[in-house]
Amino acid sequence: MVAIFVRVLPSAALGPTLGRPLVVEALRLSTVTTLSALALAILVGTPLAYLLARRRFPGQELVDSLIELPMVLPPAVAGIGLLMAFGRRGLLGDALSALGISVAFSTAAVVLAEAFVSAPFYVRAARSAFLDVDRELETVSRTLGVSDWSTFWRVTVPVAFPSLLGGAVMCWARALGEFGATIMFAGSFPGRTQTMPLAIYGALESDLDAALVLSAILTVVSFIVLVLLRAFLRRLGGTFA
C-alpha cells in the first residue's frame, strides 16, 4: 500500500488523471453497480438469512454450503458459470432472447457477477445476526398483538442491525473489488462494464498513472469505510468481525 502512494502522491499527474474519462467512467460504473449488487443481496439475502436462522429442515447444511460456495469458488469459474446460465447459448439464453433481454457483456452482467460473489458475505453475517436475537423478544412482541411482519421490522432488525450493517459493508467491499467473474461474464468495455478493478488491469499496459490513481482511490475508500464502520458500531455497542 505504501508503494502505491509513494508513486502517486509526488506525481504531478494526480490531478489531471482524476479527470480522465477512463477514471471517471470507472468510478461512476463501480458506484452504480456495487450499490445495485448490494441492494440485490439485501433484498434476497435478508429473508433467506432469516429463514435459515429460524427454521430447521432436512438438507439445511447442504443449502448453507451452496450459499457460501461463491466465497471459495475461483472467480473465473463463477464467471463461466454465469455465462453458461445467462449467455446467449446458456441455459436461459433462449428464454431471455425471446423476451428481448441480453444479459451477458452488459452492465446488468456486472451487477449479477458482483452480487453472486459478494452476497454470501451478507447472508452469512445476517444469519448470525438473527441467531443472536433473543427469540423471547419476538414472542413478547407477538403476544402484544404485533404482527410477524411488524415484529421483524420493529424488534428483530433493530437488534440485529449492527451485524447486518457489518455484513452489508463486507458485501459491498467484495463487490467493489470483484474482477474475475466480471471480466469472464461481462467483459471490459469502458463506460459499460469496465469497473475500477478492470480499469486498473487495462491501464497497466498503456496508462500506469491511471492504474496507480485508481488503486489509490480503492485503497483510500476501503480504509475509510472500515474506519467509519468500526466507529459507528462502537457507538452502537456492536462488533465487527
Side-chain angles (χ1 to χ4, degrees):
M1 298 300 97
V2 171
I4 292 175
F5 289 99
V6 166
R7 289 292 301 272
V8 171
L9 293 179
S11 175
L14 178 59
T17 302
L18 285 173
R20 293 183 184 178
L22 171 69
V23 176
V24 173
E25 285 298 319
L27 285 170
R28 180 195 64 80
L29 188 64
S30 286
T31 300
V32 172
T33 57
T34 54
L35 291 178
S36 299
L38 175 59
L40 183 61
I42 292 175
L43 181 65
V44 177
T46 302
L48 176 60
Y50 187 77
L51 173 65
L52 293 174
R54 290 292 184 264
R55 298 287 187 272
R56 301 297 299 178
F57 52 86
Q60 185 169 4
E61 292 185 358
L62 177 61
V63 173
D64 290 339
S65 298
L66 288 174
I67 291 173
E68 295 182 359
L69 181 61
M71 298 174 67
V72 297
L73 194 69
V77 176
I80 287 291
L82 289 168
L83 187 61
M84 292 300 99
F86 298 101
R88 286 182 297 177
R89 298 183 180 180
L91 293 177
L92 303 176
D94 291 338
L96 292 173
S97 296
L99 296 174
I101 300 174
S102 179
V103 178
F105 305 105
S106 67
T107 303
V110 178
V111 175
L112 285 177
E114 292 176 343
F116 181 79
V117 301
S118 65
F121 289 87
Y122 174 76
V123 175
R124 187 177 185 181
R127 183 192 178 194
S128 297
F130 292 139
L131 283 172
D132 290 339
V133 175
D134 189 350
R135 300 191 68 173
E136 289 296 326
L137 296 175
E138 297 175 333
T139 301
V140 170
S141 175
R142 295 188 184 98
T143 59
L144 294 175
V146 181
S147 67
D148 290 344
W149 180 254
S150 295
T151 296
F152 176 76
W153 284 109
R154 296 169 61 181
V155 177
T156 307
V157 170
V159 174
F161 181 73
S163 295
L164 293 176
L165 178 61
V169 170
M170 291 303 297
C171 174
W172 174 80
R174 177 63 183 87
L176 183 64
E178 163 52 30
F179 176 84
T182 303
I183 199 169
M184 297 293 291
F185 182 42
S188 183
F189 302 101
R192 192 172 74 193
T193 65
Q194 191 178 74
T195 58
M196 292 177 69
L198 271 63
I200 292 172
Y201 179 77
L204 277 175
E205 298 182 356
S206 59
D207 195 345
L208 182 59
D209 286 338
L212 289 170
V213 169
L214 284 170
S215 298
I217 292 173
L218 279 176
T219 302
V220 170
V221 169
S222 300
F223 182 73
I224 290 176
V225 167
L226 288 176
V227 170
L228 292 178
L229 175 65
R230 289 181 184 277
F232 182 70
L233 292 182
R234 192 178 301 113
R235 292 186 61 182
L236 291 178
T239 59
F240 177 50

